[in-house]
Amino acid sequence: MYQTSLKSVFQGATYENWVLEFTPHQSVQSRFKRSLDIVGSLVGLMILALVFVPLAIAIKIDSPGPIFFTQERYGLQGRTFRLRKFRSMVSDAEQLKSLVDNEANGLIFKNKNDFRVTKVGRFLRSTSLDELPQFWNVLVGEMSLVGTRPPTGDEVAKYTPRHWQRLNVKPGLTGEWQVNGRSQVKDFEQIVDLDLRYQHNWHPLYDLFLIGKTFYVIFGRIGAF
């Protein structure tokens, strides 16, 4: 948990000035987990190399703008890193966000019929192909194959101490939330519950179980939009 807790929060400081000292989860030190991440990310990057050209062409033809969407996210112990995805929305999606109703509860944003998502983007999201570039984040150690969804800055600015527990593990390409409902889970507190359940249940073999379940969810296109 926390050594210095969140004293600065109650003194009115913003999240940029918070000083948090975590006791990282045991999975962070697991050599098996790190080895699994390296092997899995190399395989993922080989798949990325095979599909990059056709996906890049499809994205450019479908919607003007960059191939990748890049955003700062928060990972283990609140460290920031640059996350990249294949772009699945129009290039000015952030500016149009205020025009979309949030169908989720809490510190997440979801809308099943979000008009900003492109035709190719819907396919990328339903197949999780938009996530392929994140295998690079896994390879360099910023993410793991299995963990928690990496939050954005505007999200962590509203975190309570309970929410910060999510960042005791590395963010993951998949995890409890992704295999237990994905986008159909629209309550942020439920997502936090799932993330904390992962930490409680974690074992090297549990990561393998969740990875296997992820393939089932992806190929069945369950819960994604």
Side-chain angles (χ1 to χ4, degrees), residues 1-10 18-22 161 164:
M1 285 295 291
Y2 307 97
Q3 301 301 317
T4 58
S5 190
L6 298 176
K7 183 185 297 182
S8 58
V9 177
F10 302 108
W18 293 357
V19 178
L20 303 175
E21 293 184 9
F22 292 75
W164 274 99

Side-chain angles (χ1 to χ4, degrees), residues 118-169:
T118 64
K119 292 180 180 179
V120 170
R122 291 200 180 278
F123 170 75
L124 293 175
R125 289 183 171 206
S126 66
T127 57
S128 293
L129 288 172
D130 61 321
E131 310 280 356
L132 284 177
Q134 293 173 51
F135 279 111
W136 175 256
N137 297 110
V138 176
L139 182 63
V140 299
E142 296 168 335
M143 294 179 62
S144 178
L145 293 178
V146 184
T148 185
R149 183 185 63 83
T152 59
D154 58 345
E155 180 182 318
V156 300
K158 301 174 183 177
Y159 270 12
T160 66
R162 161 180 152 81
H163 301 147
W164 274 99
Q165 294 179 59
R166 305 176 68 236
L167 302 185
N168 283 344
V169 299

